[in-house]
Amino acid sequence: MNKVRQESWGGTVSRLVRRGPAADERGQVAETSRHSRYLPVAAIAVIASVAGWLTTASLQQDFAAYWTAGAARRLGLSPYVNHVGADPAPALWDGVALFTHSRFLYPPLVAELFRPLAAMPYQAAKAAFTALAVAAWAAASVLAARAAAPGKREGSGVALTFAVGALAYPLYLHLERGQVDLFVLVLLLAAFAARGRPLRAGAALLAAAMLKPALIGLWPVLIALGRWRAVGAAVAGAAIALLASAALSGPALVRDYVFDVLPRAALYGEGGDETMLLPASRLQAVAGDLNAGVAHLGGRAYRQAAWDAPASASLPRLLAPERPTRVATLGPGLLMLAMLVAAAAPAHRRCLPEASEALLFWGAAVACVVASPAGWVMGLVWALPLVPWLGRLRAANAASGVARALIVAGLACACPPLFAGWAALAGTALVAAATALALTLAPRAAAAEVAR
């Protein structure tokens, strides 16, 4: 009986993860159902409607930071300084920042990319940006399903991914804040799809890390998975990007970013301590707006937030909410990185199938969210590509208790945070479950060979 069970589990998983769904011995590949055709349309309609409402009702405060950074560069000013109430641009403010530094944490080259949007009226710019974000979510859903289940099963995977995405709270918060995580998700999907082509994968990895610097933590995991050429291409591209930044933005701004912005963001994220707060005189002109919870940009008033709920998904913030410490800042990331690298190390790599590599890749991406002081709930949209992989395992009867644990952790990430710290804990559980499932999927025979 044990031998039969072992053959059923090992054989099914081996065929599934090594040759794909077409190798399922039962050959039960059904045509795309009516639900598979209509669910994506319904999901897009719901998300587009919510996005349209948020474009008019909410400040979309993270996009406000991007737009303000682009406006600062158009004026020849630093995007890392809060200019409100000070010459030469006392009215230049994102409607939220209370510190002497701005909330913009990205490299200078990214600030230059926001110049075109800053040339538009704020309302038009945020509408265009939000429409692109919805398009990025749709594209990511299709790409994620295609990566997990190419061929005839792709339709059901697309429907499942769209449906889960439309029910996931991080997606709605992402749109409410006006974040870039969905664009980063498309880049990560491109990197994963091109992982066997180092130049393409490296370019996508670099672009993703420029938009979210915490994703550099993904690179050691890729090296452990044997994708060191892609990481090498990303590092080489980073040197070119550094020279381009110095040429476009000036060496002084690059120095400010490397020696001032990055160290501060590593401790506080976009925040700071009491010594970094603006003097009250600088905020006098906007004190009424702050008290009312509104902001005026482009001659129009917006609510700073459409709703109130915990937004942090950061373990460092959870461990040291009042005053950051080096241990709280570095500890979670180093522990999760060690776990993921150990799972992807050469000792296991020979028996890690494609599904395991996907689980480790996306688990590492989520780890970069929860281990960062600037980790937010909307970053958990990077867990979306796990949905079609879990659907593929279930379709092949290869699910297990560990897979069910990953589903539970994913549901915890998808629901609105029940308390402060919920998202950080749920994300950590998802990383652990994804790592465990990646190792569990290794065929028994290969695992026995490695053990010998």
Side-chain angles (χ1 to χ4, degrees), residues 129-191:
F129 183 85
T130 304
L132 290 173
V134 173
W137 163 66
S141 299
V142 174
L143 291 173
R146 185 173 297 168
K152 294 183 178 180
R153 290 185 184 270
E154 184 181 314
S156 59
V158 169
L160 177 64
T161 309
F162 268 101
V164 172
L167 295 173
Y169 176 75
L171 175 60
Y172 292 93
L173 186 61
H174 178 288
L175 296 172
E176 195 276 333
R177 293 296 173 94
Q179 256 291 343
V180 295
D181 297 275
L182 288 171
F183 303 104
V184 174
L185 178 58
V186 173
L187 292 169
L188 290 175
L189 283 162

Side-chain angles (χ1 to χ4, degrees), residues 360-391:
L360 291 174
F361 183 95
W362 297 111
V366 174
C368 291
V369 175
V370 298
S372 169
W376 301 98
V377 170
M378 42 277 197
L380 297 179
V381 296
W382 296 347
L384 186 64
L386 290 173
V387 172
W389 285 102
L390 286 169

